[in-house]
Structure formats: C-alpha cells, structure tokens
Amino acid sequence: MTERPPRLPDDRSALLIVDVQNDFLPGGRLAVPDGDAVVGPLNRAIEAFRARGRPIVATRDWHPPDHCSFTAQGGPWPPHCVQGSEGARFAAALALPPDALIVSKADRPDRDAYSGFQDTGLAERLRALGVGTLVVGGLATDYCVLNTVRDALAAGFAVWVLEDAIRAVDVEPGDGARAIETMRAAGARFIRSDELAV
Ligand code: VGL
Ligand code: ZN
C-alpha cells in the first residue's frame, strides 16, 4: 500500500539539500549523470519551504586538496569538491536563500564522510530548530543521499525523499535503484517535488 504524504512542508519539517555542487554536475570532476536535473525540483522545494518559513539546510562535500578519498592518496575518487574551489561551489542555478544553513562535511584529510550527519552536529542543530521531519534531495543517490538518509532515520527523523530531485553515480549499473530500495527498507518514504504545498 502506498502511503499518502502529509501536507509538507509542515511546522516540524526542514528541507535538506545534499551536495548540489559543481563537481557533481555535468562538466564537473565527479559528474553525476543528469545531475543538473535535480536543480529545478529542488528550487520548487526551496520555494515551498521559504513560503512556510521552515529551515533549509544544504550540505557540501568540502575536501582538503590531499583528501584520503582522492586517487593520489589511494582513494576511489578523482579530486573533487576541494575547499574554496569553483567545483566545490553550489550550483549557480540552485536558489539557496541567504539564510540557508550550510553544513560542510569530510573536511579533514584523513576521514571521508558520505553522510551530512557525520562529525557535523547536524542532528542536534535540527532538533534545536524543532525539526522532526526531513525532506531530502540532491546528489548522489547511491552515496551521500543514501548515507545521509540512513543516518537521519537512525537519529529518529522522519524522512521523505524527493524522488525527482535525486540522481545516482551508478558506478555499477543498478546502484541507484538499490540505494532507493535500501532507503525505503530503512523507513524512508518518497514524494515528488510537485506534491509539496506552496
Ligand atoms: C559523493 C562521492 C564522493 C556524494 C561525495 O556527494 O555523493 N560521492 N564524494
Ligand atoms: Zn567526496
């Protein structure tokens, strides 16, 4: 049975935008196929949350130049989202409001972090804002969205993933689809951006 979404945003919800940065968009150092397709749906969500005066949080991958996840250090990825670089900037077309809460992660050389909750204090900050429900979209479905959603659920937040506002890297074909099933099994629900009330 499909569950009918509540009217979102409500007065316990926040929008959580994951890693919509130039390096993950077409032309970037670690481009996610069709990654720029998340921007339109996320801008619609931003409008809805702004209209309700609810918090908008944006995480960013924020690596030092010698980060352990880069191939030169033996990691799996080409250099990407280096602190202060153009590639680390949020997509220019993403309409982030000036009062958005920016959360930087994986900013130490020796540790990677796919989740916006890892070493950031994000859960506590959200609770302090009275947030109980997160509406989540961004990049990439099979890495940072997946791990952020898992940690959000484990921390006790209800999670609605914006199904039209996520895209996968798909290193192995099917990774994105499997990530969606994993999130669903962990308790995440799915909603389209046009189901949000503005
Ligand atoms: C990500 C790979 C490496 C992500 C970050 O944001 O999904 N993926 N670093
Ligand atoms: Zn990274």
Side-chain angles (χ1 to χ4, degrees):
M1 200 180 84
T2 52
E3 212 174 332
R4 192 147 36 86
R7 187 175 170 85
L8 288 168
D10 61 19
D11 59 9
R12 303 235 321 131
S13 61
L15 177 62
L16 179 53
I17 298 173
V18 177
D19 296 9
V20 181
Q21 296 166 269
N22 290 329
D23 273 340
F24 295 126
L25 302 182
R29 305 292 298 275
L30 183 38
V32 177
D34 206 24
D36 49 347
V38 305
V39 173
L42 286 173
N43 282 345
R44 198 173 310 141
I46 287 169
E47 205 181 305
F49 278 78
R50 286 194 78 169
R52 288 297 301 262
R54 294 303 304 162
I56 297 170
V57 182
T59 67
R60 62 181 181 184
D61 217 24
W62 197 242
H63 298 318
D66 59 346
H67 191 249
C68 63
S69 76
F70 298 170
T71 45
Q73 276 65 243
W77 305 113
H80 63 278
C81 298
V82 172
Q83 293 167 11
S85 69
E86 184 59 29
R89 294 175 75 96
F90 291 114
L94 186 70
L96 273 183
D99 61 349
L101 176 62
I102 309 302
V103 174
S104 302
K105 66 181 171 61
D107 57 353
R108 285 173 31 182
D110 55 324
R111 259 170 92 82
D112 203 6
Y114 290 139
S115 164
F117 288 90
Q118 195 176 322
D119 305 323
T120 59
L122 178 56
E124 295 71 25
R125 288 154 86 178
L126 290 170
R127 286 194 198 103
L129 292 167
V131 173
T133 298
L134 292 169
V135 175
V136 181
L139 301 169
T141 308
D142 36 359
Y143 293 93
C144 289
V145 172
L146 169 65
N147 285 280
T148 298
V149 165
R150 283 175 134 169
D151 279 358
L153 291 164
F157 296 97
V159 175
W160 292 86
V161 178
L162 292 166
E163 61 189 20
D164 53 338
I166 55 174
R167 288 295 184 281
V169 181
D170 277 335
V171 170
E172 301 292 340
D175 280 353
R178 280 187 289 274
I180 287 171
E181 283 322 304
T182 301
M183 290 188 274
R184 212 188 288 281
R189 278 81 58 93
F190 288 76
I191 188 176
R192 289 189 319 274
S193 61
D194 63 9
E195 293 177 86
L196 295 172
V198 178

